[in-house]
Amino acid sequence: MSSRTRGAGALVALVALFTAGYLAPYLLPTVVGRLSAGLGLTPSQAGLIGSVLLLGSSTAGFTLAARGERIGPRRTARAGLLAMAVGYGSAAATGVVPLVVAGAVLGGLGSGTATAVAVAGIAGQRDPHRASTLGLLSVSATAGALYLTLPHLGGGHAAPLLAIACGAVLVWPFTGGLPTAAHTVRESAGTLGPLPHRRAGAVLAGGILCWSLAQNALWGVSGRIGLTQAGLSEVTVGAVFAAALGAGLAGVTAAGALGSRLGRAVPIGAGTVAIAGCVLLSSTAENLAGFATGEILWNAFYPVVLSYLLGLAASLDPRGRWAVMVGSASSLGVACGPVTGSLLSDRAGYPGMGLVLCALLLLVAAPMTAVARHASGRPLVPGSIRRRGGAPAAVLAGRGSGTVLVPQMGAPEQEVTPIPVAAGRRRAAKSAFRLARPSDRG
């Protein structure tokens, strides 16, 4: 599953799969809001169902991080898409709460499976940052279009869940571009080798868990903030979300154009600080101007920082193991977000919740920036390769030619064959040497 996937068809398949896997978290506010309104649940109960859905997603990701090398990407991706279609479709077709929960869990497992295959394949690309940027562009555009469409499809909880299920069905044909069998980056090695950058990867996984939790705690209740605290209609809130995701498209495009000019540390650190301010602004909004400004700016910065975090995780291990585990940690944070936001808003109000989440984001910005500064793996562009290590570094980064001649990062050490050297040879005397003459050529 973590083999270096090549070709436009494979990249399209990975982007499509990334879109399907991330669609449920992106539609979380409308899913939670409609569960509450359509099934007569309290906000905390609806948030708990959303958390259970995303918890299934993170569970699938952690499972595949440990065992995904044994399964072919195409088979795994299709199993995930099938679980999404069946799970979300069955949850949309019934109004019985236990059945809705069961369908949401199954759909969440499918979303996590699709996402795990996608991020592992993206980690194997020559330019993981570009591939993850394309995936975020695709899911932002899809979610933005759905936020404009769903308010016109009637109330109830069925519409957003059916949209996610249909997305899984539409992505199925693209899985033909994925490999059928599991290959490793170095098939001849026969073993996976040690997991590199363990301390940095663990810090990054813990940081992105809290990072995702803080943001999705607000994202899960953003619809309620717009409807109750800001006094907006559902159509207006949907339009604000669509505009916010449009700003996310612009942000991802800017991130792709920026590339590595600022490295990874500056976008991750400064971007997280900016997001913290946007979270505080959005949670205290009491009118359309404040709510729209906070949501739009927040969604503009969020995918930018996320693309650099995913690229950083991919650089730590070209086999994609850290990419899958960091992505699963992010999904775990996303899963805990809705119930955290509901509990905090019930007890401290929306402004108090925003203050707590802002402080949490500022706390995790420092360790994630430190990882980006000191433990980043493959460089992002050829310029940084030349500055940091010349041709060997270019080969390690997948930028130079002859990649089979130089082991990738994390490769097992190759055996060294001992060459016996005769001991006790007498050193030749100086008289044994003489100048060469033209007549010696024969």
Side-chain angles (χ1 to χ4, degrees), residues 38-135:
L39 298 179
L41 303 175
T42 65
S44 298
Q45 290 172 333
L48 182 59
I49 293 178
S51 293
V52 168
L53 182 158
L54 297 171
L55 186 60
S57 178
S58 63
T59 300
F62 281 120
T63 302
L64 288 175
R67 303 180 181 179
E69 291 284 347
R70 308 173 187 174
I71 311 172
R74 184 185 301 178
R75 182 186 305 173
T76 307
R78 288 180 173 176
L81 294 175
L82 180 61
M84 288 179 64
V86 174
Y88 294 127
S90 61
T94 181
V96 181
V97 175
L99 294 180
V100 172
V101 173
V105 171
L106 179 60
L109 288 170
S111 294
T113 301
T115 302
V117 175
V119 298
I122 286 172
Q125 292 287 306
R126 289 186 178 274
D127 190 349
H129 177 72
R130 173 177 173 270
S132 60
T133 298
L134 291 175

Side-chain angles (χ1 to χ4, degrees), residues 199-382:
R199 181 178 300 177
V203 171
L204 181 61
I208 201 172
L209 188 154
C210 297
W211 186 86
S212 298
L213 182 148
Q215 297 189 74
N216 283 276
L218 177 63
W219 186 238
V221 299
S222 289
R224 285 156 47 198
I225 293 176
L227 293 172
T228 59
Q229 183 170 284
L232 307 177
S233 66
E234 184 182 1
V235 174
T236 304
V237 171
V240 170
F241 286 159
L245 292 174
L249 289 173
V252 174
T253 304
L258 182 64
S260 66
R261 290 179 177 85
L262 299 177
R264 291 189 178 103
V266 171
I268 290 174
T272 300
V273 172
I275 288 172
C278 295
V279 167
L280 189 60
L281 175 62
S282 184
S283 63
T284 57
E286 295 182 350
N287 51 44
L288 175 60
F291 181 72
T293 302
E295 293 290 325
I296 290 173
L297 290 178
W298 174 30
N299 280 274
F301 285 112
Y302 169 79
V304 175
V305 180
L306 181 60
S307 68
Y308 281 98
L309 288 172
L310 295 177
L312 174 60
S315 75
L316 296 179
D317 178 22
R319 297 183 185 276
R321 289 170 291 181
W322 274 126
V324 174
M325 285 189 281
V326 168
S328 300
S330 176
S331 297
L332 182 59
V334 171
C336 298
V339 67
T340 302
S342 296
L343 293 174
L344 284 175
S345 61
D346 287 344
R347 286 163 173 75
Y350 295 124
M353 175 199 69
L355 187 61
V356 172
L357 299 179
C358 176
L360 179 59
L361 286 169
L362 293 177
L363 285 175
V364 301
M368 292 195 304
T369 303
V371 172
R373 182 174 178 82
H374 299 293
S376 182
R378 288 175 288 171
L380 290 175
V381 294

